[in-house]
Amino acid sequence: MTAQARPRLRRSARTRQAAPIAGALSWLYALILALPLYYLVVSALKTNIEIFTRPFHLPSLWLWDNFSTAWTQASLGKALANTALICLVAITVTLVLAVPASYALARSDTKVARAITGAFSAGFLIPPFAALIPTVILAIHLGLFYTREFQMLFLPASALPLSVLLLTQFMRTVPSELVEAAAMDGVGQFRTLVHIFLPIAMPGVVTVTILQLLTFWNEYLFSLTITGTAPDVRTVQVALPTLISDSTNYGVLAAGTVLTVLPVYLVYTVMSRRMQEALTAGAVKG
Amino acid sequence: MSSPLSTAPPPAPVTTPDQPPRRVRRGPRSARVLWFTVPALAWFVVFLVGPLAAMFVIATLRWKGLIYEPTFVGFENVTRVLADPVFLAAIRNSAIQVGIAVPVMIPLAYMLGYHLYTKPRGYRLLSVLYFSPGLISISVTATIFYGVLSPNGGVNGLLSLVGLDSLVTPWLADPSTALATLIFIDLWRGVGWTAVLMAARLSSIPGEVLEAAQVDGASRTRVMWQIAFPMVKSYVSTLTMLQFLWTLFTSAALILLLTKGGPGNSTTTLSYLVYAKAFSQQDLGYSQVVGVALLVVGIAGMFLIRALLRSDLEDER
């Protein structure tokens, strides 16, 4: 009882200064956010004519066919599989590269270590988009243009700066006694990393995984130009806009859009707290 | 460049300010352990630093598309770009886009974030909604607004529903509204998302400070701007820099999907011009001169924002 009463008491102290204008404005903005999303969902179940004539009404006839049409027309199944595969490999590569690097940076405080950290920080602030065209040329030279493989190699690189910086912070929380004890026992660097640092930094690994999963899943421009638009290799983000040009059927387009965001929202409802934490920690949006 | 993350709300284990993380003791082997960074550094150099450096080289080449052989022309591309009215239009559009989107977004997001932080009625629903655009990709955002803003779409439907037929416009196809509409989409995506981040940062400052000020009779506005704001100022500055960079660099994808830079050049921004020149008009040298310009503007803007929002307290805790 008391345990429940206490946070409530605190809350009332915080909100003592009621703010009717702030409250109203915050709901107005929420409405502006929600309306397009609502429009999307109801449109997904309507015919073109009904979307035009009664944009915000519930569908008079629930047109579930739109979903199957979108699914086949944009071959979303294949696209989802492609995206999932790219994400899986890219996340694995990111972790394999970032975990040892952050371990080293957490354990070393030399000038070189600080220079490396500085390089990754700078990389974090320069969006890779700046170098889109040279990246395409690199893909061509590696013989990996219009393949999923290049994206699997490239995405980890774009994720490295943030992943290394975040993981280093987590690695620094390892108590020094543990490290000293391990050193005394003559445990090597690799085993120290795997058996001491990795378990303690696990929340960081989860954070980085969620954060980069979302970024990789939502990546558009690089997928479009490097992986390309061929149905065999294209990602779901590239497949979706083809519905714009394939047809002017808004219902089908909306249904495809719903299908594309659904996996993200499903994951979000299951682990919303973790995702919020991850994205807040990263302060980066897809 | 110092890590921007030092000002971000550090992840869970590091957050508690009263309990600073104990540093791992650096042994004599601390230099040797740096070999562990070599794979990551190699990856970073090959796929990020290399392409970034290559931009400067390609900017000096005449290169009519990827299948042709490039020839060196020195600064010819630069003079060509500077004399091109399209480039000037792109500078103007980018300046308008960044100049409106960022200064509107950051104060709004801070105030909404503060509001969320006070945990008003229904704040859970609010924060889920505010968070939503962060889950949605560019291509999904584009398809949503393609429907919402099309001549027969949601916005026009809503306007005629409430009897404002005179305001019905093909939002993205009208040169006088296209850029403003794109800026609106930037704000639609960015404000709530940034507000959630602000709220998260605000919740890590000791609540007693703000409560004490309230007890002393400070108005809500005063507490928000004169007590809470200085405490999170360096985080606000970091978010401002990030929003600036995102708006400046990533507008290409949304423009590609919604307006293709048109009508006319009314929505051609610098980042879209980089893309369009390389892939639609097959002029790689030109494209990369703009790319270099974009990079320079990005770095200059970052330093400007840093100077404008310099925290009086080095560490706000």
Coordinates of all heavy atoms in Angstrom, one line a residue, chain A residues 43-79:
Chain A
S43 N -7.2 3.5 -44.3 CA -7.1 3.5 -45.8 C -6.7 2.1 -46.3 O -7.1 1.7 -47.4 CB -6.1 4.4 -46.3 OG -6.5 5.8 -46.0
A44 N -6.0 1.3 -45.4 CA -5.5 0.0 -45.8 C -6.7 -0.9 -46.1 O -6.5 -2.0 -46.7 CB -4.6 -0.6 -44.8
L45 N -7.9 -0.6 -45.6 CA -9.1 -1.5 -45.7 C -10.1 -0.9 -46.6 O -11.2 -1.4 -46.7 CB -9.6 -1.7 -44.3 CG -8.7 -2.5 -43.4 CD1 -9.1 -2.2 -41.9 CD2 -8.8 -4.0 -43.7
K46 N -9.8 0.1 -47.4 CA -10.8 0.7 -48.3 C -10.5 0.6 -49.8 O -9.3 0.4 -50.1 CB -10.9 2.2 -47.9 CG -11.5 2.5 -46.6 CD -11.5 4.0 -46.4 CE -11.9 4.5 -45.0 NZ -11.7 5.9 -44.9
T47 N -11.5 1.0 -50.6 CA -11.2 1.1 -52.0 C -10.7 2.6 -52.2 O -10.9 3.4 -51.4 CB -12.5 1.0 -52.8 OG1 -13.5 2.0 -52.4 CG2 -13.2 -0.4 -52.6
N48 N -10.2 2.8 -53.4 CA -9.7 4.1 -53.7 C -10.8 5.2 -53.6 O -10.6 6.2 -53.0 CB -9.2 4.1 -55.2 CG -7.7 4.3 -55.3 OD1 -7.0 4.4 -54.2 ND2 -7.2 4.4 -56.4
I49 N -11.9 4.9 -54.1 CA -13.0 5.8 -54.1 C -13.4 6.2 -52.7 O -13.6 7.4 -52.4 CB -14.3 5.3 -54.9 CG1 -13.9 5.1 -56.4 CG2 -15.5 6.2 -54.7 CD1 -14.8 4.2 -57.2
E50 N -13.5 5.2 -51.8 CA -13.9 5.5 -50.5 C -12.8 6.3 -49.7 O -13.1 7.1 -48.9 CB -14.2 4.2 -49.7 CG -15.2 4.4 -48.6 CD -15.3 3.2 -47.7 OE1 -14.9 2.1 -48.1 OE2 -15.9 3.3 -46.6
I51 N -11.5 6.1 -50.0 CA -10.5 6.8 -49.4 C -10.7 8.3 -49.8 O -10.5 9.2 -48.9 CB -9.1 6.3 -49.9 CG1 -8.8 4.9 -49.3 CG2 -8.0 7.3 -49.4 CD1 -7.6 4.3 -49.9
F52 N -11.0 8.6 -51.0 CA -11.2 10.0 -51.5 C -12.4 10.6 -50.9 O -12.4 11.8 -50.4 CB -11.3 10.1 -53.0 CG -10.1 9.5 -53.7 CD1 -10.2 9.0 -55.0 CD2 -8.8 9.5 -53.1 CE1 -9.1 8.5 -55.6 CE2 -7.7 9.0 -53.7 CZ -7.8 8.5 -55.0
T53 N -13.5 9.8 -50.9 CA -14.8 10.5 -50.5 C -15.0 10.5 -49.0 O -15.6 11.5 -48.5 CB -16.0 9.7 -51.2 OG1 -15.8 8.3 -50.9 CG2 -16.0 9.9 -52.7
R54 N -14.5 9.5 -48.3 CA -14.8 9.5 -46.8 C -13.4 9.2 -46.1 O -13.3 8.2 -45.5 CB -15.8 8.5 -46.5 CG -17.2 8.7 -47.2 CD -18.1 7.5 -47.1 NE -18.7 7.4 -45.7 CZ -18.8 6.3 -45.1 NH1 -18.4 5.1 -45.7 NH2 -19.3 6.2 -43.9
P55 N -12.5 10.1 -46.2 CA -11.1 9.8 -45.8 C -10.9 9.4 -44.3 O -10.1 8.5 -44.1 CB -10.3 11.1 -46.0 CG -11.4 12.2 -46.1 CD -12.6 11.5 -46.7
F56 N -11.8 9.9 -43.4 CA -11.5 9.5 -42.0 C -12.6 8.6 -41.4 O -12.6 8.4 -40.3 CB -11.4 10.8 -41.2 CG -10.1 11.5 -41.5 CD1 -10.0 12.5 -42.4 CD2 -8.9 11.1 -40.9 CE1 -8.8 13.1 -42.8 CE2 -7.7 11.7 -41.2 CZ -7.7 12.7 -42.1
H57 N -13.5 8.2 -42.3 CA -14.5 7.2 -41.8 C -13.9 5.8 -41.7 O -13.0 5.5 -42.4 CB -15.7 7.2 -42.7 CG -16.5 8.5 -42.7 ND1 -16.0 9.7 -43.2 CD2 -17.7 8.8 -42.2 CE1 -16.9 10.6 -43.0 NE2 -18.0 10.1 -42.4
L58 N -14.6 5.0 -40.9 CA -14.2 3.6 -40.9 C -14.7 3.0 -42.2 O -15.6 3.5 -42.8 CB -14.9 2.9 -39.7 CG -14.2 3.2 -38.4 CD1 -15.1 2.5 -37.3 CD2 -12.8 2.7 -38.3
P59 N -14.0 2.0 -42.7 CA -14.4 1.4 -44.0 C -15.8 0.9 -44.0 O -16.2 0.3 -42.9 CB -13.4 0.3 -44.2 CG -12.5 0.3 -43.1 CD -12.9 1.3 -42.1
S60 N -16.6 1.1 -45.0 CA -17.9 0.6 -45.1 C -17.9 -0.9 -45.4 O -18.6 -1.7 -44.9 CB -18.8 1.3 -46.1 OG -18.1 1.2 -47.4
L61 N -16.9 -1.3 -46.2 CA -16.7 -2.7 -46.5 C -15.2 -3.0 -46.2 O -14.3 -2.3 -46.8 CB -17.0 -3.0 -48.0 CG -17.1 -4.4 -48.3 CD1 -18.4 -5.0 -47.9 CD2 -16.9 -4.6 -49.8
W62 N -14.9 -3.8 -45.3 CA -13.5 -4.1 -44.8 C -12.8 -4.9 -45.9 O -13.0 -6.1 -46.1 CB -13.5 -4.8 -43.5 CG -14.0 -3.9 -42.4 CD1 -15.3 -3.4 -42.4 CD2 -13.4 -3.3 -41.3 NE1 -15.5 -2.6 -41.3 CE2 -14.3 -2.5 -40.6 CE3 -12.1 -3.5 -40.8 CZ2 -14.0 -1.8 -39.4 CZ3 -11.8 -2.8 -39.6 CH2 -12.7 -2.0 -38.9
L63 N -11.9 -4.2 -46.6 CA -11.3 -4.8 -47.8 C -10.0 -5.5 -47.4 O -8.9 -5.0 -47.7 CB -11.0 -3.7 -48.8 CG -11.2 -4.1 -50.3 CD1 -12.6 -4.4 -50.6 CD2 -10.7 -2.9 -51.1
W64 N -10.1 -6.7 -46.8 CA -8.8 -7.4 -46.4 C -8.0 -7.8 -47.6 O -6.8 -8.0 -47.4 CB -9.2 -8.6 -45.6 CG -9.8 -8.2 -44.3 CD1 -11.2 -8.3 -44.0 CD2 -9.2 -7.6 -43.1 NE1 -11.4 -7.8 -42.7 CE2 -10.2 -7.4 -42.1 CE3 -7.9 -7.3 -42.8 CZ2 -9.9 -6.8 -40.9 CZ3 -7.6 -6.8 -41.5 CH2 -8.6 -6.6 -40.6
D65 N -8.6 -7.8 -48.8 CA -7.8 -8.2 -50.0 C -6.6 -7.3 -50.2 O -5.6 -7.7 -50.8 CB -8.7 -8.1 -51.2 CG -9.6 -9.4 -51.3 OD1 -9.4 -10.3 -50.5 OD2 -10.4 -9.5 -52.3
N66 N -6.7 -6.0 -49.8 CA -5.6 -5.1 -50.0 C -4.3 -5.7 -49.5 O -3.3 -5.5 -50.1 CB -5.9 -3.8 -49.3 CG -6.9 -2.9 -50.1 OD1 -7.1 -3.2 -51.3 ND2 -7.4 -1.9 -49.5
F67 N -4.4 -6.3 -48.4 CA -3.2 -6.9 -47.7 C -2.5 -7.9 -48.6 O -1.3 -7.9 -48.9 CB -3.5 -7.4 -46.3 CG -3.6 -6.3 -45.3 CD1 -4.9 -5.9 -45.0 CD2 -2.5 -5.7 -44.7 CE1 -5.1 -4.8 -44.1 CE2 -2.7 -4.7 -43.8 CZ -4.0 -4.3 -43.5
S68 N -3.3 -8.9 -49.1 CA -2.8 -9.9 -49.9 C -2.3 -9.4 -51.3 O -1.2 -9.8 -51.8 CB -3.8 -11.1 -50.1 OG -5.0 -10.5 -50.7
T69 N -3.0 -8.4 -51.8 CA -2.5 -7.7 -53.0 C -1.2 -7.1 -52.8 O -0.2 -7.3 -53.6 CB -3.5 -6.7 -53.5 OG1 -4.8 -7.2 -53.5 CG2 -3.2 -6.2 -54.9
A70 N -1.0 -6.3 -51.7 CA 0.2 -5.7 -51.5 C 1.3 -6.7 -51.3 O 2.5 -6.5 -51.8 CB 0.1 -4.8 -50.2
W71 N 1.0 -7.7 -50.5 CA 2.0 -8.8 -50.2 C 2.6 -9.4 -51.5 O 3.8 -9.5 -51.6 CB 1.3 -9.9 -49.4 CG 2.2 -10.9 -48.9 CD1 2.5 -12.1 -49.6 CD2 3.1 -10.9 -47.8 NE1 3.4 -12.9 -48.9 CE2 3.8 -12.2 -47.8 CE3 3.3 -10.0 -46.7 CZ2 4.7 -12.5 -46.8 CZ3 4.2 -10.4 -45.8 CH2 4.9 -11.6 -45.8
T72 N 1.7 -9.7 -52.5 CA 2.2 -10.4 -53.7 C 2.8 -9.4 -54.6 O 3.8 -9.6 -55.2 CB 1.0 -11.1 -54.4 OG1 -0.1 -10.3 -54.5 CG2 0.7 -12.4 -53.6
Q73 N 2.1 -8.2 -54.8 CA 2.6 -7.2 -55.7 C 4.0 -6.7 -55.5 O 4.7 -6.5 -56.4 CB 1.6 -6.0 -55.8 CG 1.5 -5.3 -57.1 CD 0.4 -4.3 -57.1 OE1 -0.7 -4.6 -56.5 NE2 0.6 -3.2 -57.7
A74 N 4.3 -6.5 -54.2 CA 5.6 -6.0 -53.9 C 6.6 -7.1 -53.4 O 7.6 -6.9 -52.9 CB 5.5 -4.9 -52.8
S75 N 6.1 -8.4 -53.6 CA 6.8 -9.6 -53.1 C 7.4 -9.3 -51.7 O 8.6 -9.4 -51.5 CB 7.8 -10.2 -54.0 OG 8.4 -9.2 -54.8
L76 N 6.5 -8.9 -50.8 CA 7.0 -8.5 -49.4 C 7.6 -9.6 -48.6 O 8.5 -9.4 -47.8 CB 5.8 -7.9 -48.6 CG 5.4 -6.4 -49.0 CD1 4.3 -5.9 -48.2 CD2 6.6 -5.5 -48.9
G77 N 7.1 -10.8 -48.9 CA 7.7 -12.0 -48.2 C 9.2 -12.1 -48.4 O 10.0 -12.2 -47.5
K78 N 9.5 -12.1 -49.7 CA 10.9 -12.2 -50.1 C 11.7 -11.0 -49.5 O 12.8 -11.2 -49.0 CB 11.0 -12.2 -51.6 CG 12.4 -12.3 -52.2 CD 13.0 -13.7 -51.9 CE 14.5 -13.7 -52.4 NZ 15.2 -14.8 -51.8
A79 N 11.1 -9.8 -49.6 CA 11.8 -8.6 -49.1 C 12.0 -8.7 -47.6 O 13.1 -8.3 -47.1 CB 10.9 -7.4 -49.5

